[in-house]
Amino acid sequence: MSSSYTPYPPPSTGLNERRRHALEDVDNATFSWFHVRVCLVAGIGFFTDAYDLFAISIAATMLGFVYGDDKGYLPHGQEFGIKVASPMGTFVGQLLFGWLADLVGRKRMYGLEVKIHR
């Protein structure tokens, strides 16, 4: 820690002042393994979201072989519904879980999401 470090301003100060102080701490932080871990976790989350959105086309084709007509195709409306439900569910989930994370905290919400996905 440098000698110019000051503790966080008390809650009675303005929100902008506390934000500026927090961002100053981030700007002055030295690189550590924590930064690598944060980048890996964020990257893995992005990868799994992208994989889900990519794999729905393949899943729709497989569903056609199992539940479709004799040629292995789902009716157009059903295939379209499956393919639209995936990105719409992702969009609504991001809004809902982001809002809940703002309410209860990101760490607690991440644990809840892990429990839901099991």
Side-chain angles (χ1 to χ4, degrees), residues 24-94:
E24 182 182 320
D25 285 349
V26 171
D27 288 341
N28 296 331
T30 58
F31 184 76
S32 68
W33 282 107
F34 175 76
H35 296 93
V36 173
R37 191 175 85 183
V38 167
C39 287
L40 286 174
V41 169
I44 290 169
F46 180 74
F47 171 76
T48 56
D49 283 344
Y51 179 78
D52 287 344
L53 295 174
F54 169 76
I56 195 63
S57 294
I58 298 167
T61 302
M62 289 189 286
L63 287 170
F65 283 117
V66 176
Y67 298 109
D69 58 13
D70 294 339
K71 296 179 183 178
Y73 294 106
L74 286 173
H76 179 69
Q78 289 178 355
E79 183 178 355
F80 181 74
I82 290 170
K83 289 181 180 180
V84 167
S86 182
M88 289 306 295
T90 300
F91 177 72
V92 171
Q94 287 176 351

Side-chain angles (χ1 to χ4, degrees), residues 87-109:
M88 289 306 295
T90 300
F91 177 72
V92 171
Q94 287 176 351
L95 290 178
L96 176 68
F97 285 109
W99 176 71
L100 287 172
D102 287 342
L103 287 178
V104 299
R106 302 237 173 245
K107 196 171 193 177
R108 177 182 261 176
M109 198 64 219

